[in-house]
Amino acid sequence: MRVRLGVAVRLGSAARSPYPRRRARNRGVREGRAGPSGTLSPTMTAAPLLDDPGDLSALRAAGADPDELFSSFAAWAEANGTVLYPHQEEALIELVSGANVVLATPTGSGKSLVATGAQYAALAAGRRSWYTAPIKALVSEKFFALCGVFGAANVGMLTGDAAVNRDAPIIACTAEVLANIALREGADADIGLVVMDEFHFYGDPDRGWAWQVPLLELPKAQFLLMSATLGDVTSLREDLTRRTGRPTALVADAVRPVPLHHYYATTPMHETIQELLDTQQAPVYVVHFTQAAALERAQALMSVNVCSKEEKAAIADMIGGFRFSSAFGTTLSRLVRHGIGVHHAGMLPKYRRLVEQLAQAGLLKVICGTDTLGVGINVPIRTVVFSALSKYDGTRTRLLQVREFHQIAGRAGRAGYDTAGTVVVQAPEHEVENLKQFAKVADDPKKRRKLVRRKVPDGMVPWSEATMKRLVEGEPEKLTSHLRVTTAMVLDVVDRPGDPFAAMRRLLTENHEPRTKQLRLIRDAIGIARSLLQAGVLERLPAPEPDGRRYDLTLDLPPDFALNQPLSTFALAAIDLLDPGSDTYALDVVSVIEATLDDPRQVLAAQLSKAKGEAVAQMKAEGIEYDERMELLEEVSYPRPLEELLGHAYDVYRQSNPWAADAQLSPKSVVREMWERAFTFREFVNTYGLTRAEGAVLRYLSDAFKALRSGVPAAARTEEVTDLVEWLGELVRQVDSSLLDEWEQLSNPEEGAVAEVAVPARPRPLTGNERAFTAMVRNQLFRRVDLWARRRWYDLGELDRGSGWDADRWGEVVRAYFAEHDEVGTGADARGPALLVWDRGEPGVWRVRQILDDPAGHHDWGIDVEVDLEASDADGAVVLRVVDAGRKD
C-alpha cells in the first residue's frame, strides 16, 4: 500500500491526489494579454507615465494636489489593465498625503506598483526619490523598469560599479550606496523619498547597518519600507515618526491575491514530483540548500518523463543556436531539453536567464535550485517544494526561520498566472523510509513489534509535519538591529558640514541598538577617532567654525568615497612601485589589481587543495615521513604573487589613508595564472573542478576586467598590458557577454536611449576583436612551447590528437630537440613578437609559426599551425591545427 501525499492523508486512503488540479484564471492572463487586479501582467509592457521630457514640467506645474495625483496614477494603472487593490489604494493615499508607509503585504500583492506611485508623487512635488534593493542585479532590473515608466532622462543608477545619470530625479541604487550618502551628507542630502525594497534585510547581521543608517540620518525624507516578512514593526514605526515628524502608516492587512495551500509529503521525492506533474502543478521549483544537492536532484529526475515529444521539440526550437560554452553547459543542455531546469548563484548568468526564459514560456516543468529564490526570481512558479526545513548557515545547521520559510514559500502561485499556489514540504528520508517499512507490516502486529526504525542521521537537524505547521502559522521574527562603526563611517561623518562630534554622538546614541551595544559602538568610534588623530588624518581646529565644526580632515577623500573598490587608490600607488622594464611587468600589474579584489572563495579553495595535493605527492616521492608532511603542509598556500612587496606597501599606505584599514588586501593569482598557462575558461574550470561555481569564476574575471580597464593609469598601459586586458575582456564575453555588455552600456549609455540589455543567443564573433584574438592565438602557441620545455609530450598529444599529433609523434620531435639543446626558453622573449611569423593572406585561415627560443640562438626549431577563423567564431575559442613541428633548415 502506497503512502500518499498531503497533511491529512492517512495510510489506506483513497488513491486520490491531495493536490487539486489548477488552471490559470483565463487564457488571456496566461498569455499576458490582460493584467489581474492590483498588478501588471508579468509579460505586459506598460505605457509610460511620462511620454516625453515636457511631461515632467507639466506634472510639476499642475501642482501636487494629493487627490489629483492619486486619481491620475490610478487612471494610468487602470489603462494598463490594473485595478488597484484596497491595500494599494490605502498605501498610495497615505504616501501622496506625505506620510511614511510600512508596506508589509504578501508576495505578489503589487508592492512595486505602490512604489511607482510614490515616485510619481515625489516627481510632482519636485523631490528626488531613491529606490534601494539588496543586490546589484535587482537594482539593474529596477533601473530599466523605471526607465520604461518615467523615461530614461528621469532615471539614474548607482551601484558602485557603474553610475548612470547620477543627477536624475529618480535613482536606483544598492542599500550601501544610499547609506554612505546619508552618512556623508546627513539631513541636508537631496533625498526626498526613500523606497527600501526587501526591507527585511535590516535584520541581516552583515549588511543590516545599510538599511538602518538612512532611517537615522535622513529626517527630512519620506520613507516607504516594503517586505512580505517584516514581523512586529511597532517600535520601528514610532521611531520613524519621531525622527521625520511624519505619521507612519502600517499597511499589512492585504489578502494574498493568490492563496497558498500547504502539504506535507511522506512519499519519496521522485514520487512527490511525479504526482505534482500528474495533477498539473507545474512549474515546480524544488528548493535545496546547497548547489550540489540542486544539481544532483535535477540529474536524478532525468528518469522521470517530464515532457511530451511536442514540448521537447518546442524547447529545442526556443534554445535554437544558444551556445552552451562551458563545462556545466553540456549538463544543462541535456537537462533543459528534458524539461528540467537548474537555477543557483553558481551558474553563469546566461544559463540562469535561459532557464528563466524557458520557464516563462511554460516549457520547464521542474526547476531545481537553491534558496536564493527568496530574494526574487523572475519565473512563474506554481509549486514550491522544500527538500528540507533545515540548512547550514555558515556556522551551524539549524531549522529555517519563519521569515526564511515565508520568503521562499511566497514565490508559489504568481498573480497573472495562477488562481492558487502549492507549497510542499518533503519529509526527511528516514521518516519516509520508516513509513514505507511500517506500511509493509501494518496488518501484522508481530512484525510491527520487530520493526527497526531508521534513526536520524548524525549531524542532521530533523523536521516534521509539526515543524511545517509552526512555520506556516508563525509570524516572522522581529527585526533585530545590526549597526556597526567603521573607519569609513567616521570619515564620512567628519567630511559632512557641521560639528562631526555632535553628528557622531547622535548616530551612536540614538540608533536602534540596546544601550550595552551602543556603549560598545561608542568605544569603537573613540578608538577609530584617536587613530585618525594620531595618524594626522584628523586635526582639531584652534576654535570652532561658524557651523560648529571642531575637527577637520587633512586630506581630500577620493570621489564617491566608499562607493567603489576601497583599495582602488592603493592599486594606483602600488603600480608605481613596479619596474616597467621587468619581463613580468604586465603580469605584476595584474597581480596588484587582483590583490584589491574580493576573494573568489571557491577558486582559492580549489587552488589550495590542488597545491596541497601536489605537495603531498612530491613529499611522498622524496620519502618524507607522514608527521613531517603534515607539518610542512601547513605552509602550503594558493599562489600569492608580490605578497611581500604589496604587504609592505599596504602598511605604509594605511598610515596616510586609514580608511583602507576596513578593507583587506589579498594577493592571489587567477587572471595571472590563466594568462601564464594559456587557459581557456573551460580548461581553468575543469582543472580545478569548479563546474558548479562557474558563475563565481566568471563574476571574478568580469570584476578583474573592469578594474584593469578603469584602474590602471595610462602610463602603465604597455602593449602587453593592453593585450592582456583585451584578451580577458574577450574571454569573458565569449563565455557570457551579459555581465560586460550591461556594465558597458550603463557606464557609457547612448545619449537619450537606455534599453534593456538582453542576453544574446550567441556573442559577437571572436575574431571581430583582432587584438584579443591574436593574444589568444599567441597564448595557445606559448602553451605548447611551455609543455615542450617541460618535456610533457603526453600533454601535447592530448592537445593535438585531433591534428594527427599524438603523444608518440610529439615525443619523437621533443626528444630530437633535446638531443641538440639543453633547454627551451620560456621568458618574455619566448612569447614576444620576434619569434612569431604570421601569414593572414588566405581568407578564413591564419598560418602561424612559433619559433623556439633555443639557447644557441639558431631559432631553427618551431611549431607551424593553421588557425580556423570560422570554427573559432563558432566555438568562442581558438581552433587551430598543428601542421608541422621540428627543425626547419
Side-chain angles (χ1 to χ4, degrees):
M1 185 177 295
R2 184 160 90 106
V3 179
R4 301 298 301 172
L5 304 171
V7 175
V9 176
R10 298 177 180 176
L11 296 174
S13 62
R16 181 177 64 83
S17 171
Y19 305 143
R21 294 175 181 267
R22 312 206 196 286
R23 296 180 180 176
R25 191 166 297 176
N26 57 59
R27 187 174 179 83
V29 169
R30 187 67 176 172
E31 295 178 355
R33 294 198 298 267
S37 176
T39 181
L40 295 178
S41 176
T43 55
M44 179 183 293
T45 300
L49 261 169
L50 304 176
D51 287 322
D52 56 62
D55 288 349
L56 179 57
S57 300
L59 174 65
R60 289 178 174 171
D65 179 78
D67 292 334
E68 290 185 11
L69 284 174
F70 176 82
S71 298
S72 62
F73 183 78
W76 170 80
E78 188 168 355
N80 284 281
T82 300
V83 178
L84 298 179
Y85 290 125
H87 69 270
Q88 290 175 313
E89 292 183 342
E90 179 186 354
L92 284 168
I93 289 171
E94 294 285 357
L95 287 163
V96 299
S97 301
N100 301 313
V101 170
V102 178
L103 189 57
T105 56
T107 301
S109 60
K111 290 188 285 293
S112 293
L113 191 58
V114 174
T116 302
Q119 291 166 310
Y120 178 66
L123 269 178
R127 296 181 295 138
R128 296 187 76 195
S129 59
W130 296 67
Y131 189 108
T132 73
I135 59 177
K136 294 176 184 178
L138 291 180
V139 172
S140 176
E141 181 180 310
K142 192 64 185 179
F143 167 72
F144 288 119
L146 289 170
C147 286
V149 174
F150 294 104
N154 295 318
V155 183
M157 185 178 76
L158 296 172
T159 65
D161 283 342
V164 179
N165 201 13
R166 63 170 64 244
D167 296 323
I170 298 175
I171 297 291
C173 64
T174 55
E176 284 81 1
V177 166
L178 179 64
N180 284 312
I181 292 173
L183 287 168
R184 197 165 188 176
E185 300 182 22
D188 294 330
D190 185 13
I191 299 174
L193 168 71
V194 175
V195 179
M196 304 192 85
D197 204 356
E198 307 289 348
F199 186 72
H200 55 273
F201 271 81
Y202 171 99
D204 185 274
D206 296 321
R207 301 181 61 200
W209 69 272
W211 274 259
Q212 182 174 169
V213 164
L215 306 182
L216 305 178
E217 294 295 307
L218 301 174
K220 298 178 183 178
Q222 180 187 20
F223 287 88
L224 169 58
L225 313 179
M226 306 190 302
S227 174
T229 55
L230 288 182
D232 182 9
V233 292
T234 302
S235 59
L236 188 66
R237 290 174 59 202
E238 292 173 351
D239 182 74
L240 197 54
T241 295
R242 178 179 63 82
R243 292 177 187 277
T244 64
R246 302 171 183 266
T248 302
L250 172 64
V251 179
D253 58 352
V255 176
R256 181 184 165 90
V258 180
L260 295 181
H261 301 288
H262 298 81
Y263 301 92
Y264 189 75
T266 56
T267 47
M269 176 65 89
H270 69 279
E271 293 183 18
T272 301
I273 293 173
Q274 185 64 65
E275 190 151 0
L276 289 167
L277 294 173
D278 292 343
T279 53
Q280 299 178 18
Q281 301 304 303
V284 179
Y285 194 100
V286 187
V287 182
H288 304 79
F289 294 99
T290 67
Q291 296 173 4
L295 180 58
E296 289 170 6
R297 180 72 62 194
Q299 292 174 316
L301 288 173
M302 287 290 287
S303 60
V304 177
N305 189 20
V306 173
C307 291
S308 65
K309 290 183 179 179
E310 293 76 13
E311 289 169 328
K312 290 179 181 178
I315 292 172
D317 184 61
M318 186 168 179
I319 289 174
F322 186 93
R323 180 192 288 168
F324 293 92
S325 57
S326 64
F328 176 72
T330 304
T331 300
L332 182 64
S333 177
R334 187 174 66 252
L335 290 170
V336 295
R337 293 176 194 278
H338 197 73
I340 301 168
V342 180
H343 196 284
H344 58 69
M347 294 167 58
L348 298 180
K350 69 175 182 181
Y351 291 157
R352 290 202 305 272
R353 183 62 181 141
L354 175 67
V355 170
E356 292 165 8
Q357 289 173 333
L358 289 170
Q360 287 164 356
L363 297 175
L364 293 185
K365 300 298 182 64
V366 181
I367 304 171
C368 299
T370 57
D371 58 337
T372 51
L373 172 70
V375 181
I377 173 178
N378 188 26
V379 298
I381 300 167
R382 183 167 294 174
T383 301
V384 169
V385 177
F386 284 83
S387 63
L389 290 181
S390 63
K391 63 180 286 188
Y392 179 72
D393 62 7
T395 304
R396 62 188 177 90
T397 301
R398 58 168 175 79
L399 292 174
L400 295 183
Q401 298 175 349
V402 174
R403 172 172 290 107
E404 292 170 324
F405 178 82
H406 282 234
Q407 278 293 129
I408 300 170
R411 301 296 170 180
R414 303 308 299 253
Y417 286 91
D418 306 306
T419 56
T422 301
V423 179
V424 179
V425 173
Q426 182 68 24
E429 289 186 12
H430 70 275
E431 181 183 342
V432 173
E433 185 63 27
N434 287 336
L435 287 172
K436 184 186 295 186
Q437 295 301 322
F438 183 82
K440 292 179 180 179
V441 299
D443 299 329
D444 189 331
K446 186 175 181 181
K447 289 183 178 179
R448 286 204 307 268
R449 287 194 297 271
K450 294 181 179 180
L451 185 67
V452 178
R453 295 180 178 273
R454 288 182 58 181
K455 297 181 180 179
V456 177
D458 292 340
M460 176 186 176
V461 176
W463 65 93
S464 64
E465 185 179 322
T467 310
M468 183 193 77
K469 186 175 181 181
R470 177 182 63 80
L471 291 172
V472 171
E473 298 176 352
E475 289 294 322
E477 296 82 4
K478 185 176 180 179
L479 294 173
T480 305
S481 171
H482 292 284
L483 193 66
R484 66 185 186 192
V485 178
T486 64
T487 305
M489 180 182 288
V490 173
L491 288 169
D492 267 331
V493 173
V494 170
D495 197 46
R496 81 164 68 157
D499 183 359
F501 179 80
M504 202 70 199
R505 179 176 57 193
R506 184 173 60 253
L507 177 65
L508 297 177
T509 60
E510 297 183 19
N511 53 57
H512 303 160
E513 297 288 346
R515 185 57 181 166
T516 53
K517 178 69 180 295
Q518 287 180 348
L519 293 174
R520 201 155 56 240
L521 291 174
I522 291 170
R523 287 195 295 270
D524 291 344
I526 291 173
I528 292 171
R530 284 175 175 168
S531 68
L532 293 173
L533 285 166
Q534 291 171 359
V537 176
L538 272 185
E539 64 178 7
R540 188 179 181 94
L541 299 176
E545 293 187 351
D547 65 356
R549 178 181 292 274
R550 290 186 286 172
Y551 296 89
D552 201 6
L553 290 175
T554 60
L555 47 80
D556 292 327
L557 294 180
D560 292 335
F561 173 67
L563 304 187
N564 299 313
Q565 283 290 342
L567 292 180
S568 57
T569 51
F570 166 75
L572 293 175
I575 287 173
D576 284 341
L577 301 176
L578 304 178
D579 177 12
S582 169
D583 290 346
T584 61
Y585 178 73
L587 291 172
D588 291 343
V589 169
V590 170
S591 292
V592 170
I593 296 297
E594 286 202 80
T596 67
L597 300 177
D598 292 338
D599 286 345
R601 292 192 301 275
Q602 300 100 317
V603 177
L604 300 186
Q607 287 181 324
L608 177 61
S609 177
K610 190 171 183 65
K612 287 190 173 183
E614 292 172 350
V616 167
Q618 180 67 27
M619 287 186 281
K620 284 182 177 179
E622 294 174 1
I624 299 176
E625 295 297 325
Y626 176 81
D627 289 341
E628 187 178 355
R629 289 203 307 266
M630 293 302 99
E631 186 176 337
L632 291 173
L633 273 181
E634 294 298 319
E635 302 174 9
V636 176
S637 176
Y638 53 82
R640 295 178 179 177
L642 307 183
E643 182 176 22
E644 186 174 345
L645 170 68
L646 291 175
H648 289 315
Y650 185 48
D651 290 340
V652 174
Y653 182 79
R654 281 188 301 180
Q655 294 177 14
S656 57
N657 301 275
W659 64 79
D662 294 332
Q664 184 175 0
L665 187 72
S666 178
K668 48 191 168 288
S669 181
V670 179
V671 175
R672 180 169 183 152
E673 181 181 4
M674 291 184 71
W675 176 266
E676 285 183 314
R677 300 183 63 181
F679 274 141
T680 64
F681 182 84
R682 181 190 287 266
E683 289 167 342
F684 183 81
V685 167
N686 288 345
T687 297
Y688 287 107
L690 294 165
T691 301
R692 288 198 300 267
E694 285 180 342
V697 177
L698 187 72
R699 279 192 295 274
Y700 176 82
L701 295 179
S702 176
D703 288 343
F705 170 70
K706 295 171 189 176
L708 282 165
R709 207 173 79 166
S710 62
V712 177
R717 291 182 177 277
T718 64
E719 286 295 307
E720 188 174 357
V721 169
T722 303
D723 285 346
L724 197 153
V725 174
E726 287 292 317
W727 158 82
L728 179 58
E730 198 59 38
L731 181 145
V732 171
R733 282 190 187 90
Q734 293 300 318
V735 175
D736 188 337
S737 63
S738 56
L739 289 176
L740 292 187
D741 287 348
E742 182 172 305
W743 175 67
E744 289 179 343
Q745 181 170 343
L746 295 178
S747 299
N748 303 287
E750 295 180 10
E751 188 67 27
V754 181
E756 184 170 357
V757 178
V759 178
R762 302 185 75 79
R764 69 189 188 189
L766 177 63
T767 58
N769 185 341
E770 186 168 319
R771 183 162 196 163
F773 185 64
T774 299
M776 291 179 179
V777 173
R778 286 172 51 194
N779 270 1
Q780 287 301 314
L781 288 167
F782 182 75
R783 183 177 185 185
R784 287 159 173 80
V785 171
D786 181 61
L787 291 172
W788 188 321
R790 291 187 286 140
R791 310 185 191 212
R792 300 283 294 272
W793 49 78
Y794 177 82
D795 292 331
L796 284 166
E798 288 294 302
L799 277 177
D800 298 315
R801 182 176 284 109
S803 302
W805 284 76
D806 58 13
D808 290 339
R809 190 172 180 183
W810 268 115
E812 184 179 340
V813 173
V814 173
R815 283 192 292 266
Y817 173 88
F818 282 108
E820 292 187 18
H821 304 289
D822 294 333
E823 62 180 0
V824 176
T826 56
D829 292 339
R831 62 192 305 165
L835 296 182
L836 282 164
V837 180
W838 301 83
D839 178 3
R840 298 183 172 93
E842 184 178 340
V845 177
W846 286 0
R847 303 183 191 281
V848 190
R849 177 169 177 78
Q850 171 71 64
I851 301 169
L852 296 191
D853 185 21
D854 63 87
H858 294 158
H859 294 166
D860 52 354
W861 287 77
I863 306 169
D864 293 286
V865 302
E866 289 182 349
V867 182
D868 188 326
L869 304 188
E870 185 177 347
S872 298
D873 284 337
D875 284 8
V878 174
V879 176
L880 59 77
R881 181 176 69 88
V882 175
V883 177
D884 194 13
R887 189 202 307 167
K888 281 194 175 182
D889 296 329

